[in-house]
C-alpha cells in the first residue's frame, strides 16, 4: 500500500470560480494567474478548469510550454518577461505575450529582433518592485518602445500594466493609477492602448479599476490573499469553491492515560484518558509545523484537534470527538469542508504559502 498522503484537485471548482469571478470584472478580459504550478495545483488542472479565461499568466517559459503542450491555444503572458535574451526565441516560437519591466529586457528585445504576440510595458507606480519609473532615462526608453511598436509586434499596439500593492484600498489604487498614467504618457502611451491594473483583491473590492485586462490569482483557487479578508472578499469566498483538499489516513489508534506525553518534547500532556490517532502526514509533506494549539483536521467529517508537535511524517490527533474512527479512515487537513484559511491563520502563514508548499512526495489526484 502506498503512503496515503495526497492532494485532490477539483477541476469543477476552477470552472465555478472563473464564472463567479467574471461577474465582477466589468467585462474586462481575464489573465488567470497560474504561476508556481498554478499555485501548487498543477498547470494541467488549470488548463482544464480555467478554459473560460481569455488567457493564462505564467512566470516561466517552461510553464508556457507545458500549457501549450496540453492544448492551450489562447494567449499566454510571461508575467516577468524573459530572464535571458535566448528565452526570446522560445517566447516567439510559443506565440507568447511578455512583460518588459527594465532596460535590459528592452535591449534584449531590440537585439534579438524577435516577433511576439504582444508586449506589456510594466510601470512602477508605487509598489517599488518591478517596472519603469518616471525619470529613468525616459527618452531612451520611449524610443526603444516605439521601435518595438513599429517593427517587432504581430499587432501594432503596445500594452501597459502596473501592480497594486493594496488592491482593496481605493485611495492607494487611485494614487498608483495617477502615477501610472503620468509615467506611461512620458514613455509613449497612446490613447486606446490596452491596460491592466487589477489583481484578485482589486477585482472584488474596486471593480471600477478593472479595465481591459485583469490578473486574478488566489481567489480563483478559492482562498484569500490575506489572513484577514475584508467584508467584500469574505462575501466573494462564499460563492467560490476550494480547488484542493489535502488528505491522508489514520494509520494507527490507541488509548493513553491521563498525563501521558504526546510527541517530540512531550509538549502535550493528556488531560484525561483519551483516544489518540496518528495520520500519515507531516511537515515534509507541506503541512505546517508551526500550527497553534487547537488547530483541527477532519476525521469522518468531525473536527478533531491536532495535538503535540507536527513531525516530519506524522501528526497526532485527539479522537475524542470521533471515537469510532479506525485506521484507514480519511483525515482532511484542509479542503472543501475545512477552509485552508483556518490552517493559515493557526500557523501564521498565507494561503499562498500552504498551496505552494505541498511537496512532491504527496501524490496528486485530479477529479
Amino acid at each position: 500500500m502506498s503512503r496515503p498522503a495526497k492532494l485532490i484537485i477539483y477541476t469543477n471548482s476552477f470552472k465555478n470560480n472563473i464564472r463567479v469571478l467574471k461577474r465582477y470584472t466589468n467585462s474586462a478580459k481575464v489573465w488567470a494567474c497560474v504561476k508556481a504550478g498554478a499555485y501548487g495545483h498543477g498547470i494541467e488542472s488549470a488548463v482544464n478548469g480555467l478554459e473560460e479565461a481569455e488567457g493564462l499568466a505564467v512566470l516561466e517559459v517552461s510553464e508556457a510550454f507545458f500549457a501549450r503542450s496540453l492544448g492551450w491555444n489562447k494567449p499566454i503572458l510571461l508575467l516577468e518577461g524573459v530572464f535571458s535574451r535566448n528565452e526570446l526565441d522560445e517566447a516567439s516560437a510559443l506565440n507568447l505575450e511578455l512583460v518588459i519591466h527594465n532596460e535590459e529586457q528592452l535591449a534584449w528585445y531590440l537585439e534579438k529582433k524577435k516577433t511576439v504576440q504582444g508586449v506589456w510595458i510594466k510601470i512602477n507606480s508605487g509598489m517599488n518592485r518591478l517596472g519603469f519609473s518616471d525619470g529613468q532615462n525616459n527618452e531612451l526608453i520611449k524610443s526603444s518602445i516605439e521601435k518595438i511598436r513599429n517593427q517587432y509586434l504581430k499587432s501594432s499596439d503596445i500594452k501597459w500594466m502596473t501592480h497594486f500593492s493594496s488592491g482593496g484600498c481605493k485611495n492607494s489604487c487611485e494614487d498608483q493609477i495617477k502615477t501610472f498614467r503620468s509615467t506611461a504618457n512620458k514613455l509613449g502611451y497612446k490613447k486606446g492602448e490596452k491596460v491592466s491594473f487589477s489583481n484578485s483583491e482589486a477585482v472584488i473590492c474596486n471593480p471600477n479599476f478593472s479595465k481591459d485586462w485583469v490578473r486574478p490569482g488566489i481567489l480563483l483557487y478559492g482562498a484569500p490573499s490575506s489572513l484577514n479578508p475584508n467584508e467584500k472578499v469574505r462575501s466573494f469566498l462564499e460563492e467560490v469553491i476550494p480547488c484542493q483538499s489535502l488528505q491522508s489516513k489514520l494509520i494507527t489508534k490507541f488509548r493513553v492515560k491521563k498525563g501521558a506525553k504526546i510527541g517530540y518534547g512531550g509538549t502535550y500532556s493528556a488531560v484525561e484518558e483519551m483516544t489518540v490517532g496518528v495520520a500519515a502526514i507531516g511537515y515534509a509533506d507541506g503541512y505546517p509545523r508551526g500550527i497553534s494549539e487547537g488547530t483541527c483536521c477532519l476525521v469522518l467529517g468531525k473536527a478533531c484537534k491536532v495535538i503535540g508537535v507536527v513531525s516530519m511524517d506524522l501528526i497526532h490527533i485527539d479522537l475524542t470527538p470521533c471515537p469510532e474512527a479506525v485506521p484507514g479512515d480519511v483525515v482532511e487537513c484542509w479542503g472543501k469542508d475545512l477552509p485552508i484559511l483556518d490552517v493559515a491563520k493557526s500557523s501564521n502563514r498565507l494561503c499562498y504559502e500552504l498551496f505552494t508548499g505541498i511537496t512532491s512526495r504527496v501524490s496528486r489526484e485530479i477529479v
Side-chain angles (χ1 to χ4, degrees):
M1 177 181 176
S2 60
R3 190 164 177 271
K6 68 177 178 179
L7 189 69
I8 301 175
I9 310 298
Y10 302 107
T11 303
N12 284 337
S13 293
F14 281 106
K15 293 180 179 181
N16 172 79
N17 297 352
I18 184 68
R19 289 168 188 161
V20 171
L21 183 129
K22 281 194 145 197
R23 299 204 300 263
Y24 291 79
T25 62
N26 281 343
S27 299
K29 294 181 178 180
V30 174
W31 287 117
C33 288
V34 297
K35 60 182 179 176
Y39 292 40
H41 293 69
I43 294 289
E44 60 271 41
S45 59
V47 166
N48 292 328
L50 295 172
E51 58 190 359
E52 291 189 28
E54 282 77 17
L56 298 179
V58 303
L59 187 69
E60 302 174 79
V61 169
S62 59
E63 292 176 322
F65 179 85
F66 190 29
R68 289 285 190 237
S69 72
L70 293 168
W72 184 272
N73 295 317
K74 292 190 280 187
I76 298 178
L77 174 68
L78 284 180
L79 282 165
E80 293 178 16
V82 295
F83 294 97
S84 71
R85 58 171 55 85
N86 289 334
E87 281 192 331
L88 282 167
D89 295 323
E90 298 171 84
S92 179
L94 291 169
N95 205 29
L96 305 184
E97 301 191 28
L98 56 92
V99 169
I100 294 179
H101 61 79
N102 62 38
E103 291 184 63
E104 185 175 38
Q105 288 179 330
L106 274 175
W108 290 344
Y109 200 100
L110 293 173
E111 175 189 323
K112 292 290 287 187
K113 299 180 180 179
K114 287 291 180 179
T115 300
V116 296
Q117 186 64 34
V119 164
W120 293 78
I121 303 298
K122 187 161 192 174
I123 302 298
N124 173 22
S125 62
M127 184 137 177
N128 293 311
R129 191 171 65 173
L130 298 177
F132 295 100
S133 301
D134 187 13
Q136 204 179 60
N137 298 325
N138 284 357
E139 289 305 314
L140 176 61
I141 294 168
K142 180 179 180 180
S143 174
S144 297
I145 291 172
E146 188 63 21
K147 288 179 182 177
I148 292 173
R149 177 187 282 116
N150 292 333
Q151 299 178 40
Y152 306 121
L153 288 179
K154 293 183 179 179
S155 67
S156 60
D157 288 341
I158 292 287
K159 302 166 189 177
W160 304 78
M161 70 180 345
T162 195
H163 193 77
F164 289 142
S165 60
S166 299
C169 177
K170 182 179 179 181
N171 290 340
S172 174
C173 292
E174 287 176 339
D175 288 343
Q176 284 194 246
I177 289 174
K178 288 178 183 177
T179 301
F180 167 86
R181 294 199 184 284
S182 174
T183 304
N185 284 333
K186 292 175 182 178
L187 297 182
Y189 168 80
K190 293 185 177 181
K191 185 177 180 179
E193 290 184 324
K194 305 298 184 184
V195 299
S196 177
F197 299 143
S198 294
N199 51 17
S200 285
E201 196 170 25
V203 170
I204 304 306
C205 300
N206 291 295
N208 288 339
F209 303 141
S210 296
K211 299 304 180 182
D212 301 299
W213 286 82
V214 295
R215 307 185 309 278
I218 197 163
L219 288 181
L220 290 172
Y221 303 88
S225 59
S226 76
L227 296 181
N228 296 291
N230 63 34
E231 183 178 351
K232 289 181 179 179
V233 173
R234 291 198 304 271
S235 177
F236 177 84
L237 289 172
E238 293 177 0
E239 299 182 73
V240 295
I241 307 170
C243 292
Q244 69 168 238
S245 175
L246 179 63
Q247 299 182 359
S248 190
K249 291 181 180 180
L250 292 175
I251 58 172
T252 192
K253 168 188 174 180
F254 48 84
R255 296 284 289 175
V256 297
K257 295 180 179 180
K258 180 179 179 179
K261 304 291 186 182
I262 303 291
Y264 282 117
T267 59
Y268 181 87
S269 296
V271 296
E272 59 186 2
E273 186 174 351
M274 63 188 293
T275 302
V276 175
V278 177
I281 197 154
Y283 62 77
D285 302 296
Y287 189 77
R289 186 177 185 277
I291 56 172
S292 59
E293 184 177 348
T295 301
C296 289
C297 58
L298 295 182
V299 182
L300 298 178
K302 297 178 181 178
C304 298
K305 292 180 180 178
V306 179
I307 55 177
V309 173
V310 175
S311 60
M312 182 179 289
D313 313 305
L314 303 166
I315 57 173
H316 291 86
I317 302 168
D318 177 0
L319 290 177
T320 301
C322 191
E324 69 273 25
V326 296
D329 284 337
V330 171
V331 175
E332 182 175 78
C333 299
W334 63 69
K336 288 186 175 181
D337 298 312
L338 180 62
I340 192 173
L341 180 59
D342 291 356
V343 183
K345 285 182 176 180
S346 75
S347 59
N348 196 32
R349 297 173 67 186
L350 296 175
C351 296
Y352 296 99
E353 297 176 77
L354 299 183
F355 278 154
T356 59
I358 303 302
T359 63
S360 59
R361 75 176 190 173
V362 177
S363 63
R364 267 71 169 173
E365 178 183 345
I366 300 175
V367 298

